[in-house]
Amino acid sequence: MPKRKYTLGQPHLLRRRGKTKLWTGWLDGREVSLGTADRAEAQRRLDDLAARHRHQGLAAERGGTEEGAPTPPRPLLTELALRFAEYCQPPRHTKKTADSYARRILHFVEWAEGQKVRRADEVTFKLMSTYTRTRTEAGAGAATVNRDVTAVRRMFAFAEREGLIAEDPFGARVFRNLKLREPRPKPNAVTLSPEQVDLFLDTADKVSPPAYAALFRLSAGSAIRIDEARHLDAADVDQARGVLTITPKRNWTTKGYRYREIPISKRSAAAVKAFVACRKGLATDDKTVWKEIQRVRKAASLPKFSMHDLRRAWASAVHAKGASLKQVSVWLGHADVQTTERYIRVYLTSTSGHQFLPR
Protein backbone atom coordinates (compact mmCIF):
# COMPACT_ATOMS: atom_id res chain seq x y z
CA MET A 1 0.00 0.00 0.00
CA PRO A 2 1.62 3.34 -1.05
CA LYS A 3 2.06 5.99 1.62
CA ARG A 4 -0.32 8.93 1.45
CA LYS A 5 1.02 12.46 1.14
CA TYR A 6 1.08 14.23 4.50
CA THR A 7 -1.10 17.34 4.72
CA LEU A 8 -0.76 19.65 7.70
CA GLY A 9 -3.75 19.38 10.03
CA GLN A 10 -5.36 16.49 8.15
CA PRO A 11 -5.84 12.98 9.61
CA HIS A 12 -2.74 10.82 9.14
CA LEU A 13 -0.99 7.77 10.59
CA LEU A 14 1.36 8.83 13.34
CA ARG A 15 3.47 6.05 14.87
CA ARG A 16 3.58 2.47 16.15
CA ARG A 17 3.65 2.23 19.93
CA GLY A 18 4.02 -0.32 22.71
CA LYS A 19 5.30 -3.88 22.79
CA THR A 20 2.85 -4.95 20.10
CA LYS A 21 3.64 -1.97 17.82
CA LEU A 22 0.04 -0.88 17.37
CA TRP A 23 -0.56 2.08 15.07
CA THR A 24 -1.84 5.42 16.30
CA GLY A 25 -3.20 8.24 14.18
CA TRP A 26 -3.60 12.03 14.33
CA LEU A 27 -7.23 13.12 14.20
CA ASP A 28 -8.94 16.36 15.17
CA GLY A 29 -5.89 17.68 17.01
CA ARG A 30 -5.18 14.57 19.11
CA GLU A 31 -3.57 11.17 18.93
CA VAL A 32 -5.96 8.19 18.76
CA SER A 33 -5.23 4.47 19.09
CA LEU A 34 -6.11 2.37 16.02
CA GLY A 35 -5.69 -1.03 17.72
CA THR A 36 -3.82 -2.84 14.94
CA ALA A 37 -0.22 -3.43 13.85
CA ASP A 38 -1.20 -3.70 10.17
CA ARG A 39 -0.65 -0.41 8.32
CA ALA A 40 -3.41 -0.89 5.72
CA GLU A 41 -5.98 -1.80 8.36
CA ALA A 42 -4.85 1.15 10.50
CA GLN A 43 -5.37 3.53 7.57
CA ARG A 44 -8.86 2.09 6.96
CA ARG A 45 -9.84 2.58 10.60
CA LEU A 46 -8.47 6.11 10.58
CA ASP A 47 -10.49 6.92 7.46
CA ASP A 48 -13.63 5.56 9.13
CA LEU A 49 -13.06 7.72 12.21
CA ALA A 50 -12.39 10.78 10.05
CA ALA A 51 -15.60 10.19 8.08
CA ARG A 52 -17.57 9.89 11.30
CA HIS A 53 -16.12 13.17 12.56
CA ARG A 54 -17.01 14.90 9.31
CA HIS A 55 -20.56 13.58 9.56
CA GLN A 56 -20.85 14.87 13.12
CA GLY A 57 -19.52 18.26 12.00
CA LEU A 58 -22.16 18.49 9.26
CA ALA A 59 -24.89 17.59 11.78
CA ALA A 60 -23.67 20.39 14.05
CA GLU A 61 -23.74 22.91 11.19
CA ARG A 62 -27.37 21.99 10.57
CA GLY A 63 -28.28 23.00 14.11
CA GLY A 64 -27.04 20.09 16.23
CA THR A 65 -26.04 21.77 19.50
CA GLU A 66 -25.59 25.24 20.93
CA GLU A 67 -22.82 27.55 19.64
CA GLY A 68 -21.99 25.19 16.82
CA ALA A 69 -20.39 22.57 19.12
CA PRO A 70 -20.05 19.11 17.53
CA THR A 71 -22.78 16.64 18.40
CA PRO A 72 -21.44 14.15 20.96
CA PRO A 73 -21.11 10.63 19.54
CA ARG A 74 -24.08 8.34 20.23
CA PRO A 75 -23.00 4.90 19.00
CA LEU A 76 -25.05 1.75 19.26
CA LEU A 77 -24.19 -0.71 22.03
CA THR A 78 -23.62 -3.38 19.38
CA GLU A 79 -21.00 -1.15 17.74
CA LEU A 80 -19.19 -0.64 21.05
CA ALA A 81 -19.33 -4.38 21.75
CA LEU A 82 -17.76 -5.25 18.40
CA ARG A 83 -15.00 -2.64 18.75
CA PHE A 84 -14.23 -3.72 22.32
CA ALA A 85 -14.17 -7.43 21.40
CA GLU A 86 -11.70 -6.66 18.61
CA TYR A 87 -9.58 -4.57 20.98
CA CYS A 88 -9.36 -7.44 23.52
CA GLN A 89 -8.00 -10.02 21.08
CA PRO A 90 -4.51 -11.53 21.66
CA PRO A 91 -1.88 -10.46 22.34
CA ARG A 92 -3.57 -7.70 24.38
CA HIS A 93 -5.40 -10.40 26.38
CA THR A 94 -5.24 -14.17 26.31
CA LYS A 95 -7.81 -15.86 24.09
CA LYS A 96 -9.66 -17.18 27.13
CA THR A 97 -9.93 -13.69 28.68
CA ALA A 98 -10.95 -12.13 25.36
CA ASP A 99 -13.66 -14.77 24.86
CA SER A 100 -14.91 -14.21 28.42
CA TYR A 101 -15.21 -10.45 27.88
CA ALA A 102 -16.96 -10.96 24.54
CA ARG A 103 -19.45 -13.45 26.04
CA ARG A 104 -20.30 -11.18 28.98
CA ILE A 105 -20.63 -8.07 26.80
CA LEU A 106 -22.86 -9.92 24.34
CA HIS A 107 -25.13 -11.07 27.17
CA PHE A 108 -25.43 -7.50 28.48
CA VAL A 109 -26.16 -6.00 25.02
CA GLU A 110 -28.86 -8.58 24.31
CA TRP A 111 -30.44 -7.92 27.71
CA ALA A 112 -30.26 -4.13 27.22
CA GLU A 113 -31.92 -4.36 23.81
CA GLY A 114 -34.69 -6.35 25.46
CA GLN A 115 -35.16 -3.32 27.74
CA LYS A 116 -35.43 -1.06 24.65
CA VAL A 117 -31.93 0.36 25.30
CA ARG A 118 -29.84 0.37 22.14
CA ARG A 119 -27.48 3.35 22.45
CA ALA A 120 -24.50 3.88 24.73
CA ASP A 121 -25.79 7.20 26.09
CA GLU A 122 -28.94 5.45 27.36
CA VAL A 123 -27.00 3.31 29.87
CA THR A 124 -27.71 4.67 33.36
CA PHE A 125 -27.16 3.59 36.95
CA LYS A 126 -30.81 2.55 37.16
CA LEU A 127 -30.39 0.29 34.12
CA MET A 128 -27.23 -1.32 35.51
CA SER A 129 -28.89 -1.83 38.90
CA THR A 130 -31.75 -3.62 37.18
CA TYR A 131 -29.21 -5.73 35.26
CA THR A 132 -27.37 -6.83 38.42
CA ARG A 133 -30.68 -7.64 40.15
CA THR A 134 -31.84 -9.66 37.11
CA ARG A 135 -28.59 -11.64 37.03
CA THR A 136 -28.81 -12.34 40.76
CA GLU A 137 -32.43 -13.49 40.50
CA ALA A 138 -31.38 -15.80 37.65
CA GLY A 139 -29.05 -17.60 40.08
CA ALA A 140 -25.70 -15.94 39.27
CA GLY A 141 -23.38 -15.55 42.25
CA ALA A 142 -21.91 -12.25 43.43
CA ALA A 143 -18.50 -12.97 41.88
CA THR A 144 -20.10 -13.76 38.50
CA VAL A 145 -22.23 -10.60 38.54
CA ASN A 146 -19.20 -8.48 39.48
CA ARG A 147 -17.26 -9.92 36.54
CA ASP A 148 -20.19 -9.17 34.22
CA VAL A 149 -20.28 -5.55 35.39
CA THR A 150 -16.48 -5.26 35.12
CA ALA A 151 -16.63 -6.28 31.45
CA VAL A 152 -19.25 -3.57 30.76
CA ARG A 153 -17.27 -1.02 32.76
CA ARG A 154 -14.10 -1.72 30.77
CA MET A 155 -15.98 -1.50 27.49
CA PHE A 156 -17.19 2.02 28.32
CA ALA A 157 -13.72 3.07 29.56
CA PHE A 158 -12.28 1.85 26.24
CA ALA A 159 -14.98 3.72 24.31
CA GLU A 160 -14.20 6.99 26.08
CA ARG A 161 -10.43 6.61 25.47
CA GLU A 162 -11.05 6.00 21.79
CA GLY A 163 -13.43 8.94 21.45
CA LEU A 164 -16.41 6.72 20.65
CA ILE A 165 -18.52 8.28 23.44
CA ALA A 166 -18.44 11.74 24.97
CA GLU A 167 -18.30 10.56 28.61
CA ASP A 168 -17.95 7.29 30.47
CA PRO A 169 -21.08 6.90 32.65
CA PHE A 170 -19.19 4.61 35.04
CA GLY A 171 -17.04 7.56 36.09
CA ALA A 172 -19.87 8.76 38.35
CA ARG A 173 -19.46 8.01 42.06
CA VAL A 174 -22.87 6.34 42.29
CA PHE A 175 -21.67 3.44 40.11
CA ARG A 176 -19.38 2.26 42.90
CA ASN A 177 -22.47 0.84 44.60
CA LEU A 178 -22.89 -1.71 41.79
CA LYS A 179 -20.24 -4.01 43.25
CA LEU A 180 -21.82 -6.86 45.19
CA ARG A 181 -20.33 -8.32 48.36
CA GLU A 182 -18.57 -11.58 47.52
CA PRO A 183 -18.40 -14.40 50.09
CA ARG A 184 -14.96 -14.95 51.57
CA PRO A 185 -13.30 -18.28 50.77
CA LYS A 186 -13.75 -20.91 53.45
CA PRO A 187 -10.64 -21.16 55.65
CA ASN A 188 -10.91 -24.94 55.74
CA ALA A 189 -11.19 -25.39 51.96
CA VAL A 190 -9.22 -28.49 51.00
CA THR A 191 -6.85 -29.22 48.17
CA LEU A 192 -4.92 -32.20 46.90
CA SER A 193 -2.11 -33.28 49.19
CA PRO A 194 1.38 -33.96 47.76
CA GLU A 195 0.74 -37.70 48.20
CA GLN A 196 -2.48 -37.47 46.17
CA VAL A 197 -0.76 -35.49 43.42
CA ASP A 198 2.03 -38.09 43.24
CA LEU A 199 -0.56 -40.88 42.99
CA PHE A 200 -2.33 -39.05 40.17
CA LEU A 201 0.93 -38.50 38.24
CA ASP A 202 2.07 -42.10 38.69
CA THR A 203 -1.31 -43.33 37.45
CA ALA A 204 -1.13 -40.98 34.46
CA ASP A 205 2.27 -42.44 33.53
CA LYS A 206 0.60 -45.87 33.33
CA VAL A 207 -2.76 -45.15 31.66
CA SER A 208 -2.36 -41.88 29.72
CA PRO A 209 -0.58 -41.16 26.43
CA PRO A 210 2.97 -39.87 27.09
CA ALA A 211 2.13 -36.31 26.03
CA TYR A 212 -0.74 -36.03 28.52
CA ALA A 213 1.32 -37.60 31.31
CA ALA A 214 4.09 -35.06 30.64
CA LEU A 215 1.55 -32.21 30.58
CA PHE A 216 0.14 -33.20 33.97
CA ARG A 217 3.61 -33.58 35.49
CA LEU A 218 4.88 -30.21 34.26
CA SER A 219 1.71 -28.50 35.44
CA ALA A 220 1.87 -30.13 38.88
CA GLY A 221 5.57 -29.26 39.14
CA SER A 222 5.42 -25.61 38.05
CA ALA A 223 1.80 -24.41 38.57
CA ILE A 224 1.63 -22.88 35.09
CA ARG A 225 -1.73 -22.33 33.43
CA ILE A 226 -2.82 -24.68 30.68
CA ASP A 227 -2.74 -21.84 28.15
CA GLU A 228 0.89 -21.18 29.11
CA ALA A 229 1.69 -24.88 28.71
CA ARG A 230 0.33 -24.80 25.15
CA HIS A 231 2.92 -22.15 24.23
CA LEU A 232 5.99 -23.62 25.91
CA ASP A 233 9.24 -24.07 24.00
CA ALA A 234 12.20 -26.25 24.92
CA ALA A 235 14.28 -23.07 25.25
CA ASP A 236 12.06 -21.90 28.12
CA VAL A 237 13.74 -24.41 30.45
CA ASP A 238 17.12 -23.67 32.01
CA GLN A 239 18.09 -27.05 33.46
CA ALA A 240 21.35 -25.75 34.93
CA ARG A 241 19.51 -23.18 37.07
CA GLY A 242 16.35 -25.26 37.49
CA VAL A 243 14.14 -22.46 36.19
CA LEU A 244 11.15 -22.36 33.83
CA THR A 245 10.66 -18.98 32.14
CA ILE A 246 7.22 -17.87 30.97
CA THR A 247 7.82 -15.41 28.14
CA PRO A 248 5.70 -13.87 25.35
CA LYS A 249 5.45 -15.68 22.03
CA ARG A 250 4.32 -14.60 18.60
CA ASN A 251 0.67 -13.41 18.77
CA TRP A 252 0.40 -14.56 22.39
CA THR A 253 1.11 -13.22 25.85
CA THR A 254 0.53 -14.54 29.32
CA LYS A 255 -2.32 -13.26 31.47
CA GLY A 256 -1.84 -9.64 32.49
CA TYR A 257 1.51 -9.46 30.62
CA ARG A 258 3.18 -10.90 33.72
CA TYR A 259 6.29 -12.80 32.63
CA ARG A 260 8.11 -14.72 35.32
CA GLU A 261 10.69 -17.35 36.30
CA ILE A 262 9.49 -20.40 38.25
CA PRO A 263 11.78 -22.79 40.16
CA ILE A 264 11.25 -26.39 39.03
CA SER A 265 12.77 -29.78 39.77
CA LYS A 266 14.83 -31.85 37.34
CA ARG A 267 11.88 -34.18 36.84
CA SER A 268 9.56 -31.27 35.99
CA ALA A 269 12.17 -29.88 33.57
CA ALA A 270 12.32 -33.26 31.85
CA ALA A 271 8.51 -33.28 31.65
CA VAL A 272 8.56 -29.91 29.86
CA LYS A 273 11.05 -31.25 27.30
CA ALA A 274 8.99 -34.41 26.82
CA PHE A 275 5.74 -32.50 26.37
CA VAL A 276 7.23 -30.10 23.80
CA ALA A 277 8.71 -33.03 21.89
CA CYS A 278 5.50 -35.07 21.59
CA ARG A 279 2.62 -32.57 21.73
CA LYS A 280 2.23 -32.29 17.95
CA GLY A 281 -1.27 -33.41 17.04
CA LEU A 282 -2.30 -33.59 20.71
CA ALA A 283 -5.69 -32.08 21.60
CA THR A 284 -5.00 -29.67 24.48
CA ASP A 285 -8.30 -27.81 24.58
CA ASP A 286 -9.88 -27.44 28.02
CA LYS A 287 -12.63 -30.01 27.43
CA THR A 288 -10.32 -32.78 26.19
CA VAL A 289 -7.80 -32.25 29.00
CA TRP A 290 -10.66 -32.25 31.54
CA LYS A 291 -11.91 -35.62 30.24
CA GLU A 292 -8.41 -37.13 30.43
CA ILE A 293 -7.93 -35.89 34.01
CA GLN A 294 -11.23 -37.43 35.07
CA ARG A 295 -10.31 -40.73 33.45
CA VAL A 296 -6.97 -40.84 35.30
CA ARG A 297 -8.28 -39.71 38.69
CA LYS A 298 -11.04 -42.34 38.57
CA ALA A 299 -8.39 -44.98 37.91
CA ALA A 300 -6.50 -43.66 40.95
CA SER A 301 -9.68 -43.44 43.11
CA LEU A 302 -9.14 -39.74 43.77
CA PRO A 303 -11.78 -37.03 44.41
CA LYS A 304 -12.98 -34.90 41.51
CA PHE A 305 -10.62 -32.06 40.54
CA SER A 306 -9.55 -29.98 37.53
CA MET A 307 -6.28 -28.93 35.90
CA HIS A 308 -6.36 -25.68 37.87
CA ASP A 309 -6.47 -27.65 41.12
CA LEU A 310 -2.93 -28.87 40.38
CA ARG A 311 -1.95 -25.20 40.39
CA ARG A 312 -3.61 -24.67 43.78
CA ALA A 313 -1.96 -27.81 45.16
CA TRP A 314 1.49 -26.58 44.06
CA ALA A 315 0.90 -23.18 45.68
CA SER A 316 -0.29 -24.77 48.91
CA ALA A 317 2.66 -27.17 49.01
CA VAL A 318 5.42 -24.58 48.48
CA HIS A 319 3.78 -22.23 51.00
CA ALA A 320 3.59 -25.05 53.54
CA LYS A 321 7.32 -25.66 52.95
CA GLY A 322 8.11 -22.10 53.97
CA ALA A 323 7.83 -19.90 50.85
CA SER A 324 6.32 -16.50 51.61
CA LEU A 325 2.90 -15.60 50.29
CA LYS A 326 4.40 -12.78 48.21
CA GLN A 327 6.93 -15.08 46.57
CA VAL A 328 4.25 -17.65 45.77
CA SER A 329 2.18 -14.84 44.24
CA VAL A 330 5.07 -13.88 41.94
CA TRP A 331 5.61 -17.49 40.85
CA LEU A 332 1.92 -17.92 40.10
CA GLY A 333 1.80 -14.68 38.10
CA HIS A 334 -0.94 -13.10 40.20
CA ALA A 335 -1.66 -9.37 40.12
CA ASP A 336 -2.01 -9.16 43.92
CA VAL A 337 -1.49 -11.29 47.01
CA GLN A 338 -5.22 -11.38 47.78
CA THR A 339 -5.73 -13.68 44.79
CA THR A 340 -2.96 -15.95 46.05
CA GLU A 341 -4.60 -16.14 49.48
CA ARG A 342 -7.58 -17.85 47.87
CA TYR A 343 -5.24 -20.47 46.37
CA ILE A 344 -3.60 -21.50 49.63
CA ARG A 345 -5.59 -24.39 51.05
CA VAL A 346 -5.16 -27.03 53.75
CA TYR A 347 -4.68 -30.69 52.98
CA LEU A 348 -7.25 -33.39 53.55
CA THR A 349 -4.87 -34.97 56.08
CA SER A 350 -4.38 -31.73 58.05
CA THR A 351 -5.38 -31.46 61.70
CA SER A 352 -8.54 -29.79 62.99
CA GLY A 353 -6.35 -27.15 64.62
CA HIS A 354 -7.08 -27.88 68.28
CA GLN A 355 -3.39 -28.31 69.17
CA PHE A 356 -2.79 -24.66 68.21
CA LEU A 357 -5.25 -23.32 70.82
CA PRO A 358 -3.45 -21.25 73.49
CA ARG A 359 -5.58 -22.55 76.38
Side-chain angles (χ1 to χ4, degrees):
M1 175 182 173
K3 291 186 177 180
R4 297 190 184 182
K5 185 178 178 179
Y6 168 73
T7 305
L8 182 64
Q10 295 299 313
H12 61 274
L13 294 180
L14 196 60
R15 70 188 83 180
R16 298 174 69 185
R17 305 188 66 170
K19 294 180 180 179
T20 52
K21 302 297 182 185
L22 299 181
W23 278 100
T24 64
W26 187 258
L27 178 65
D28 197 24
R30 64 190 180 92
E31 185 177 357
V32 297
S33 173
L34 298 173
T36 179
D38 182 75
R39 187 173 175 274
E41 176 63 16
Q43 185 66 62
R44 185 190 68 77
R45 294 184 186 184
L46 182 63
D47 292 342
D48 289 345
L49 287 174
R52 188 177 302 158
H53 276 249
R54 285 196 300 270
H55 177 73
Q56 292 167 359
L58 290 174
E61 290 176 5
R62 293 168 185 164
T65 56
E66 257 184 77
E67 300 179 358
T71 305
R74 300 175 64 237
L76 295 172
L77 283 173
T78 51
E79 179 185 356
L80 288 191
L82 290 173
R83 294 287 294 271
F84 182 65
E86 184 179 3
Y87 166 81
C88 290
Q89 291 304 307
R92 181 168 299 279
H93 293 294
T94 63
K95 186 178 184 304
K96 192 172 184 178
T97 300
D99 291 345
S100 175
Y101 278 151
R103 184 177 67 254
R104 295 176 192 278
I105 290 296
L106 177 61
H107 183 276
F108 167 73
V109 171
E110 290 179 345
W111 176 86
E113 290 180 343
Q115 304 295 311
K116 309 299 183 183
V117 174
R118 293 182 171 82
R119 293 193 173 276
D121 59 320
E122 297 172 343
V123 175
T124 62
F125 175 75
K126 182 178 181 180
L127 178 76
M128 294 304 302
S129 296
T130 304
Y131 177 64
T132 57
R133 185 170 61 253
T134 302
R135 294 286 289 130
T136 303
E137 291 173 353
T144 300
V145 175
N146 286 338
R147 292 188 183 101
D148 293 340
V149 174
T150 296
V152 180
R153 186 191 302 273
R154 292 187 176 180
M155 179 182 72
F156 276 94
F158 158 78
E160 185 184 38
R161 289 197 308 269
E162 299 298 313
L164 302 177
I165 58 176
E167 185 179 2
D168 179 8
F170 284 85
R173 180 179 298 180
V174 67
F175 275 88
R176 298 177 186 173
N177 298 327
L178 278 176
K179 187 175 178 64
L180 303 181
R181 186 186 297 275
E182 298 182 21
R184 291 182 60 84
K186 296 179 181 179
N188 62 340
V190 297
T191 188
L192 297 170
S193 68
E195 294 75 20
Q196 289 175 312
V197 174
D198 289 340
L199 175 60
F200 169 75
L201 297 178
D202 292 340
T203 306
D205 288 338
K206 298 175 183 177
V207 304
S208 290
Y212 282 124
L215 172 62
F216 299 149
R217 191 167 291 279
L218 74 88
S219 179
S222 62
I224 63 174
R225 303 177 178 92
I226 186 171
D227 189 53
E228 294 168 342
R230 296 185 188 111
H231 294 87
L232 282 177
D233 292 332
D236 293 333
V237 180
D238 187 340
Q239 290 183 316
R241 296 170 54 214
V243 168
L244 175 63
T245 305
I246 304 299
T247 58
K249 302 295 190 300
R250 183 178 178 84
N251 296 324
W252 175 83
T253 183
T254 187
K255 188 175 183 179
Y257 292 90
R258 289 181 286 275
Y259 316 131
R260 60 199 192 277
E261 290 186 342
I262 307 168
I264 58 174
S265 65
K266 292 182 179 179
R267 195 167 186 182
S268 297
V272 175
K273 298 278 188 180
F275 175 70
V276 172
C278 61
R279 69 180 171 188
K280 188 175 181 180
L282 181 74
T284 57
D285 59 282
D286 292 353
K287 187 174 182 179
T288 304
V289 173
W290 162 265
K291 289 182 177 179
E292 183 63 20
I293 287 177
Q294 301 315 306
R295 190 175 72 87
V296 176
R297 68 98 183 163
K298 287 179 181 178
S301 300
L302 290 171
K304 191 175 183 179
F305 66 91
S306 67
M307 186 79 164
H308 214 70
D309 285 316
L310 295 178
R311 181 170 159 86
R312 296 186 180 95
W314 185 91
S316 301
V318 295
H319 183 60
K321 288 286 187 178
S324 68
L325 198 63
K326 178 60 179 176
Q327 188 61 72
V328 176
S329 180
V330 172
W331 289 333
L332 291 176
H334 284 160
D336 54 64
V337 177
Q338 288 181 340
T339 305
T340 310
E341 287 178 341
R342 294 197 293 268
Y343 274 59
I344 304 302
R345 310 286 179 85
V346 298
Y347 302 135
L348 286 170
T349 55
S350 291
T351 174
S352 61
H354 288 86
Q355 76 271 28
F356 299 120
L357 298 178
R359 60 185 63 83

